[in-house]
Amino acid sequence: VEDREAIGGSAFGGQRAVCCTADLAKLGVCPEGEMIHRPSTKNPGWPKVFGISFSEDDEVTTLPLKSIQITKIGMYNLYFIHCDLNLKDLIVEGKTVWKNPTGYLSGRMAPLMNFYGFMSLVFVILGIFWFMQYARFWREFLPLQNFITLVITLGMLEMALWYFDYAEFNGSGTRPIGITMWAVTFDTIKRTIARIIILMVSMGYGVVRPTLGGLTSKVTMLGATFFLASEILELVENVGAVSDLSGKARLFLVLPVAILDAFFILWIFTSLSSTLNKLQTKRMVAKLDIYRKFTNALAVAVIVSVGWICYENAWIIPAFWQILSFSLLCVIRVLWAPSQNSTRYAYSGEANEDFDKDDTNLTLIKPSPTPSKDFRTVPETRTAQGSNGASSNGDLEEDKTE
């Protein structure tokens, strides 16, 4: 890339041209109608230039097969340039093959193959520990833990598919469309379900409320919209593609996903704030403690995400988001791990009904719907026996105490 300035030139500081113009030819800089290039001062032998010419009556000519040995790490460009005005309708057909020492993956993609292989192993280890606890405490399982099981399963499948996708691409030089589509789909499903789970936890689902009530349709709609936007973006970026999208095309597809992500974050932290306030008011210490830890983990994740946006190392960017989502999954897995005390954090009928209905009443014991005969007759008897105000007041105080 640093040798690009050696291609083209200009006369008297004028407009830069790749082909030698009449003005440049008059100065003796170059032969008119030929490409302008100069040897690089930093890289001897570069840029590499291969010329081709047409015979007098030929309409087709072939460039002999060329193989260039790359000895320096960096980005390389290949240009097809013609300066003869008689070749204005020239058509170039053929292909270029680029290969690294380890395979056909580009320098941006090569490290990801090893990364996904490592993450596949990590997810398998996480899954083994989780399913062992699942089998041990399956009678104590919460609805929320079933969703966590689903995310771990999807994660294992996603990492394995990405690894096979990159391995096949690296070995053959052609990206396997089928594997890539499945990897993208599992990735999008996992990210969508993970966001919905975090939102449901923030709302207190399965812990302080049995259902989401009227919010179920809104959460479902947000999740479906996020899935659709993410799926389109990932399919266009990955299926059959090697190069990055152009700036405007990428912005058009990335913007909806970014807006939906921001909406998820806003809704999650708003719900968490409301849930924490209610738990504190009701003095549910165990649940309050677990929610505070969960809130701190989310806050750290958001702060790290914002700080990472400006990082420019291309291959590490997708790896970072995978590591961040895996870290959050591990936090949720630890906080809501299956155990014999799992039901301690679950929704419990009567107490939590008062939790949802009345935020100001601290009494968690519901009164009897129909008073017994004893409670109805005793005050009447005492009132009838009372002969003055003092005795009545005494009975009333006794009634209040009872």
Side-chain angles (χ1 to χ4, degrees):
V1 171
E2 61 190 16
D3 295 329
R4 284 183 295 187
E5 296 300 320
I7 301 175
S10 61
F12 307 109
Q15 184 177 2
R16 188 176 184 83
V18 174
C19 296
C20 188
T21 62
D23 293 336
L24 292 172
K26 290 178 182 179
L27 295 174
V29 175
C30 55
E32 185 176 356
E34 293 189 4
M35 187 194 74
I36 304 171
H37 70 280
R38 300 178 308 279
S40 172
T41 58
K42 298 180 179 179
N43 302 303
W46 290 84
K48 301 284 186 183
V49 181
F50 303 97
I52 187 170
S53 60
F54 288 82
S55 298
E56 185 175 355
D57 297 324
D58 289 345
E59 293 185 355
V60 177
T61 188
T62 302
L63 177 69
L65 183 67
K66 300 287 184 180
S67 179
I68 310 299
Q69 187 70 28
I70 304 297
T71 58
K72 183 179 179 182
I73 293 175
M75 184 70 72
Y76 290 81
N77 293 329
L78 175 63
Y79 300 96
F80 292 93
I81 300 171
H82 67 88
C83 296
D84 190 340
L85 296 179
N86 295 322
L87 299 178
K88 61 180 181 179
D89 296 324
L90 176 68
I91 297 175
V92 178
E93 294 181 348
K95 69 176 182 178
T96 60
V97 179
W98 303 74
K99 189 174 182 180
N100 278 313
T102 56
Y104 286 98
L105 285 177
S106 66
R108 179 179 63 87
M109 303 173 73
L112 287 172
M113 183 179 71
N114 295 330
F115 170 76
Y116 285 122
F118 172 75
M119 288 302 297
S120 298
L121 178 62
V122 171
F123 261 100
V124 168
I125 295 173
L126 176 66
I128 290 174
F129 280 104
W130 179 264
F131 289 120
M132 286 176 60
Q133 288 183 294
Y134 194 108
R136 184 180 178 186
F137 302 107
W138 64 273
R139 295 181 182 275
E140 306 292 330
F141 241 62
L142 306 177
L144 176 62
Q145 291 168 335
N146 291 323
F147 286 110
I148 298 173
T149 304
L150 176 60
V151 172
I152 293 175
T153 304
L154 290 172
M156 288 190 289
L157 292 172
E158 176 204 352
M159 294 299 119
L161 286 169
W162 277 125
Y163 174 76
F164 289 126
D165 173 51
Y166 280 74
E168 175 66 21
F169 193 2
N170 192 52
S172 66
T174 303
R175 193 155 196 181
I177 295 179
I179 297 178
T180 308
M181 289 185 66
W182 279 111
V184 165
T185 301
F186 275 106
D187 179 19
T188 308
I189 292 174
K190 188 200 76 173
R191 288 192 290 121
T192 302
I193 293 178
R195 281 160 174 75
I196 292 176
I197 288 176
I198 293 175
L199 180 57
M200 291 168 60
V201 170
S202 304
M203 292 178 173
Y205 170 75
V207 179
V208 296
R209 57 196 304 173
T211 66
L212 296 181
L215 296 174
T216 303
S217 59
K218 295 180 181 179
V219 172
T220 304
M221 186 179 299
L222 178 60
T225 307
F226 179 83
F227 170 80
L228 182 62
S230 299
E231 181 77 357
I232 294 173
L233 172 63
E234 295 296 328
L235 285 175
V236 173
E237 278 196 328
N238 292 283
V239 177
V242 179
S243 302
D244 293 332
L245 295 174
S246 62
K248 292 183 179 179
R250 179 175 173 79
L251 180 63
F252 178 77
L253 294 173
V254 168
L255 194 58
V257 178
I259 293 174
L260 291 169
D261 249 337
F263 194 83
F264 260 116
I265 292 173
L266 181 62
W267 198 356
I268 286 169
F269 279 98
T270 302
S271 302
L272 269 176
S273 177
S274 176
T275 303
L276 285 170
N277 288 336
K278 289 181 178 180
L279 288 172
Q280 191 168 8
T281 301
K282 299 301 179 182
R283 299 176 185 176
M284 297 180 178
V285 179
K287 295 179 180 180
L288 179 61
D289 180 62
I290 200 172
Y291 264 85
R292 279 177 174 166
K293 293 177 181 177
F294 179 62
T295 304
N296 293 337
L298 282 181
V300 170
V302 171
I303 293 171
V304 173
S305 301
V306 173
W308 197 263
I309 290 175
C310 299
Y311 195 77
E312 296 182 354
N313 197 329
W315 80 266
I316 210 74
I317 293 175
F320 166 76
W321 297 118
Q322 292 287 357
I323 292 173
L324 184 64
S325 63
F326 179 78
S327 300
L328 275 177
L329 178 60
C330 288
V331 169
I332 295 175
R333 177 237 179 269
V334 171
L335 293 178
W336 279 276
S339 67
Q340 59 185 3
N341 296 322
S342 291
T343 53
R344 180 185 183 189
Y345 304 108
Y347 172 82
S348 56
E350 294 184 354
N352 286 285
E353 287 177 8
D354 286 343
F355 180 100
D356 290 330
K357 290 181 181 179
D358 188 1
D359 289 344
T360 60
N361 183 12
L362 295 177
T363 304
L364 300 181
I365 301 176
K366 297 168 66 175
S368 173
T370 53
S372 64
K373 293 182 180 180
D374 293 336
F375 278 87
R376 190 169 54 246
T377 55
V378 169
E380 295 175 357
T381 304
R382 288 176 178 168
T383 303
Q385 290 176 350
S387 57
N388 53 46
S391 62
S392 296
N393 289 337
D395 291 339
L396 287 174
E397 292 297 329
E398 186 177 354
D399 289 343
K400 289 180 181 179
T401 303
E402 291 178 0

